[in-house]
Amino acid sequence: MPPRPARTRVRGTRIVGRALTCAVFALAGLLFYISAQTARGTDLRTDNSLLSLSDVIRQRSAQNQQSQAQLADLEERARGLAEQQGRSPADVARLAALEQAAALDPLQGPGLTVTLNDAPPNATARIPGVPEPGVNDLVIHQQDIQAVVNALWRGGAEGVQVMDQRLISTSAVRCVGNTLLLQGRVYSPPYVVKAVGRADALRGAVDADPTIRNYLQYVQAYGLGWKVQESGDLTLPGYSGTADLRSATGQ
């Protein structure tokens, strides 16, 4: 087959170039349109208008704290109105006992304070032969705090407080990332757990707990924080949040 004339090749090249140029402009226009529809007046290069999960949790925590304060005030007013209507001494004593058992009243007496804290961010193995730590080895986990709380209850604690909140029968200790979520509020380490009761019995229960013993190995290996203090006079606040049970299952 004879070669194509040079003029024909040049014309074909120009046609192809124009077609590609048109396709590029069309694609660019489509991208601009999609960006405009997605942005709808906002800046696509920033996510300042979007709250991260941690921001949402902290915002709700502040709202819950305010609501709990309002609830405590309303409960105190309701209690005062009920007392004004008059009750028998037996009813007053029974109500006081129920409030004490439900952790609604402050509690004072001897006890134990346990403090847990994350290791320094640049921590390395302190013991020869121990592998270098990973990220999860250097932070407090939910099971660590829960183990301390459970041990204190087993040791005969009359009341337990985590951070600034009194625990009740429906309290749940949860961790979200490296923060503690307790009764609608968020806390960062160090985590402080207090219990009123016989200090020697409480300490014995803490020392005997297998989960805590495992945690203490990480304290020695990587420098996680651990401190136990006995006190002759601790005061735990009364629980001021809602006592509603949201869900339950029976056997």
Side-chain angles (χ1 to χ4, degrees), residues 107-126:
L107 181 62
Q108 187 174 7
L112 205 68
T113 299
V114 180
T115 305
L116 305 90
N117 200 2
D118 292 345
N122 58 347
T124 58
R126 295 181 169 188

Side-chain angles (χ1 to χ4, degrees), residues 4-12:
R4 179 179 297 179
R7 182 177 298 177
T8 302
R9 291 198 301 270
V10 172
R11 182 178 301 174

